[in-house]
Amino acid sequence: MLEQSLALITASLEDDKAEDIVVIDLAGRASFADRMVIATGLADRQISAMAQHIERKLRDIGIKRVMVEGANGSDWVLLDTGDIVVHLFKPEARTLYGLEKMWGKELDEGAEGNVTRL
């Protein structure tokens, strides 16, 4: 179910014209999720629509409990599916928070394959 959900999320983001989509493998590195997806949207409306589309598509495949934070006009929207955490940012907020640096391959020297750019 993890890979199916991840494929659905990344395809939905690509369909919604998200920019700079990154998938970070957190397995064995974090207890809160196995994957983190980070993407950029250019406007509040786009980010909100991306979140709504992901939530609806996950519900359609049987994932009913998706927690969403910040979807009412924010620089950052978070979706938590349990196994996957999705961060949708405006460009400035993404740079400010720097999650790729925090969780990416720079964190662990031996974690070369943890970050996948789509």
Side-chain angles (χ1 to χ4, degrees), residues 15-34:
D15 290 346
D16 287 339
K17 308 294 187 237
E19 296 183 357
D20 197 18
I21 303 168
V22 174
V23 177
I24 301 174
D25 184 354
L26 298 176
R29 302 172 70 210
S31 60
F32 60 87
D34 291 325

Side-chain angles (χ1 to χ4, degrees), residues 24-26 28-30 32 36 98-112 114-115:
I24 301 174
D25 184 354
L26 298 176
R29 302 172 70 210
F32 60 87
M36 180 183 296
L99 292 182
E100 289 100 329
K101 290 179 183 169
M102 187 182 306
W103 289 101
K105 64 182 177 185
E106 292 84 9
L107 181 64
D108 300 325
E109 288 182 358
E112 307 289 319
N114 285 346
V115 178

Side-chain angles (χ1 to χ4, degrees), residues 64-78:
K64 306 268 187 247
R65 193 174 173 141
V66 177
M67 306 301 285
V68 180
E69 296 288 332
N72 297 328
S74 170
D75 289 345
W76 180 6
V77 175
L78 170 79

Side-chain angles (χ1 to χ4, degrees), residues 86-106:
V86 181
H87 298 275
L88 306 174
F89 287 106
K90 281 189 174 173
E92 313 80 42
R94 185 170 179 169
T95 301
L96 176 68
Y97 290 103
L99 292 182
E100 289 100 329
K101 290 179 183 169
M102 187 182 306
W103 289 101
K105 64 182 177 185
E106 292 84 9

